[in-house]
Amino acid sequence: MTDEECRELGIMTEKEMDEMNKRLERVEEAGIADTQKYFDRIHDKLFALNSLLIAGYFAVIAIRKDVPSWSIIVPLINSGFLLLIDYRMMVRARIQASITTVNEKQRDRYGSIINNTNLFSLLSIWSTIAVVVVFVYFILS
């Protein structure tokens, strides 16, 4: 079928279908990049909140004598977890920057990091919520 016949029947030509597929691939790549940006933004906000909570824990420990001083470990552990997530994101970006030249082992590691990103992000949200809950408990007790 020629391009002219396709147009008369209202069917996309081969060239138009190829262009549409290329546009969809670009949209898909932009979507992946946006998803990674949003994960980074979420982690940045959680890290900032955790930093405020560390200051809050220090204040509660200084003001209230019944709050144990070891409780500062709670937000510090969460901070370490958030740093681990940032490190994993950095490793992902480093491998992604040279994805065409890395070996198979590195590509497998990249896939593992990508596959676990959602899980680590969810865990970071829940761990920060736990730090907030413990903080509120110390304030209200």
Side-chain angles (χ1 to χ4, degrees), residues 47 50 54 70-85 127-128 131:
F47 204 82
N50 195 66
I54 290 172
W70 60 262
S71 64
I72 194 67
I73 291 174
V74 175
L76 291 177
I77 289 173
N78 192 49
S79 185
F81 181 61
L82 292 169
L83 284 172
L84 172 70
I85 290 172
S127 67
T128 304
V131 172

Side-chain angles (χ1 to χ4, degrees), residues 6-129:
C6 288
R7 284 190 194 101
E8 287 176 9
L9 294 173
I11 301 172
M12 293 179 75
T13 64
E14 193 71 31
K15 183 179 177 184
E16 291 171 336
M17 287 181 67
D18 287 342
E19 288 174 4
M20 184 180 73
N21 286 337
K22 288 178 184 176
R23 277 193 306 266
L24 291 176
E25 287 174 5
R26 286 193 303 268
V27 167
E28 184 177 29
E29 289 172 8
I32 291 170
D34 284 349
T35 301
Q36 292 171 353
K37 256 192 320 193
Y38 288 119
F39 278 127
D40 286 343
R41 288 180 63 199
I42 288 169
H43 297 145
D44 288 345
K45 288 178 185 349
L46 290 175
F47 204 82
L49 175 61
N50 195 66
S51 297
L52 289 173
L53 287 168
I54 290 172
Y57 271 80
F58 275 123
V60 167
I61 290 169
I63 294 170
R64 303 211 28 203
K65 301 302 177 200
D66 59 334
V67 176
S69 46
W70 60 262
S71 64
I72 194 67
I73 291 174
V74 175
L76 291 177
I77 289 173
N78 192 49
S79 185
F81 181 61
L82 292 169
L83 284 172
L84 172 70
I85 290 172
D86 277 349
Y87 174 76
R88 288 174 51 86
M89 298 300 269
M90 180 197 64
V91 169
R92 178 207 42 85
R94 187 178 296 150
I95 294 171
Q96 188 176 0
S98 59
I99 197 72
T100 58
T101 60
V102 296
N103 58 27
E104 190 65 32
K105 183 179 176 186
Q106 290 289 358
R107 283 191 186 148
D108 290 342
R109 185 173 183 204
Y110 175 76
S112 163
I113 291 171
I114 292 295
N115 289 337
N116 293 327
T117 299
N118 289 344
L119 175 64
F120 273 88
S121 291
L122 181 63
L123 289 175
S124 69
I125 291 168
W126 283 112
S127 67
T128 304
I129 289 171

